[in-house]
Amino acid sequence: MPERNSSSVSELMKGFERVCRAKGLRITHQRTEIFHELAKFHGHPTAENVFKKVRKKLRTISLDTVYRTILTFENNGLIKRVQILDNVARFDINLKVHHHLICTRCKKIEDFMWPDFDNMELPADARGWPKIHSKHVEVRGLCSSCGAKLNSKK
Ligand SMILES: [Zn+2]
Ligand SMILES: [Zn+2]
C-alpha cells in the first residue's frame, strides 16, 4: 500500500491535536500512534489494518483497544466510517467532501472529487427532508488493476 506523503501526514497530525484540544480529548501516546497510522494509510483501512501497523510499535496493544480508540475518533469527528461491500467497517481520514469509487473485486476504495455534483440541488424526490447533512456517490466497478487482470485472462 502506498503511504501518504509526510507533509500531509503532519498536517493531519496537527488537525488531530487541534480537535483533541477543542474537544477535551486527552492526547495519549497510544491515541497519537493509532491516529498516525490512520493518517499514513493510503485508502480506507479497517481497524485490523491499523492494528497490524500499530502493533509493531505498541507491542502489547489489542485489536479491541485499537477498535475502541478508532470509535472514539469517530465520535469526535476525527474520522468517518465507510461501510461498503462487506460488513467490515472501514475508516476514512479524508474529511473533505468526496465520493467513492469501489472495486467490487478487490474491494479497494478510491476517493474522487465531484464539485459539480456537490453544488447540484437534489431532485424533487429527495428534497422532502427538512435537513440534509450530506450526499455521497458510490461508483462500483472494477479498478484498473482488476480490469487489467481480467483482460489478460482472455
Ligand atoms: Zn480491484
Ligand atoms: Zn474516502
Side-chain angles (χ1 to χ4, degrees):
M1 274 280 178
E3 293 195 339
R4 263 192 193 83
N5 68 46
S6 55
S7 72
S8 62
V9 171
S10 67
E11 276 307 303
L12 287 165
M13 293 314 292
K14 276 185 219 149
F16 166 72
E17 286 171 21
R18 206 181 319 120
V19 173
C20 284
R21 270 188 227 110
K23 305 241 174 188
L25 201 66
R26 275 207 307 134
I27 304 174
T28 60
H29 177 60
Q30 189 173 292
R31 282 181 180 155
T32 306
E33 286 296 341
I34 293 172
F35 194 85
H36 191 223
E37 289 306 334
L38 279 160
K40 282 197 304 182
F41 214 96
H42 186 83
H44 303 76
T46 63
E48 202 172 346
N49 293 148
V50 176
F51 168 65
K52 282 186 182 146
K53 300 268 189 183
V54 169
R55 198 171 44 175
K56 291 180 190 152
K57 286 182 194 151
L58 307 172
R59 297 259 162 210
T60 56
I61 200 157
S62 68
L63 175 58
D64 189 55
T65 303
V66 171
Y67 193 70
R68 278 187 289 111
T69 306
I70 291 177
L71 290 190
T72 305
F73 293 161
E74 187 193 0
N75 291 334
N76 286 280
L78 282 158
I79 51 168
K80 278 194 298 189
R81 178 187 291 252
V82 207
Q83 203 103 33
I84 294 182
L85 293 170
D86 33 30
N87 290 324
V88 184
R90 289 163 192 273
F91 296 93
D92 203 340
I93 203 150
N94 182 358
L95 297 176
K96 295 191 185 104
V97 175
H98 70 279
H99 308 283
H100 288 138
L101 288 168
I102 302 159
C103 178
T104 50
R105 194 167 170 271
C106 70
K107 305 199 169 151
K108 179 164 75 184
I109 306 166
E110 281 180 16
D111 292 345
F112 71 98
M113 302 296 201
W114 192 0
D116 286 347
F117 172 84
D118 300 335
N119 296 326
M120 213 154 64
E121 212 181 322
L122 288 168
D125 283 356
R127 235 184 282 146
W129 287 6
K131 190 153 179 57
I132 304 288
H133 296 300
S134 63
K135 42 189 208 304
H136 173 173
V137 177
E138 277 182 25
V139 178
R140 298 184 178 210
L142 289 183
C143 72
S144 34
S145 67
C146 289
K149 270 179 218 149
L150 218 66
N151 278 332
S152 67
K153 274 187 201 144
K154 275 180 194 161

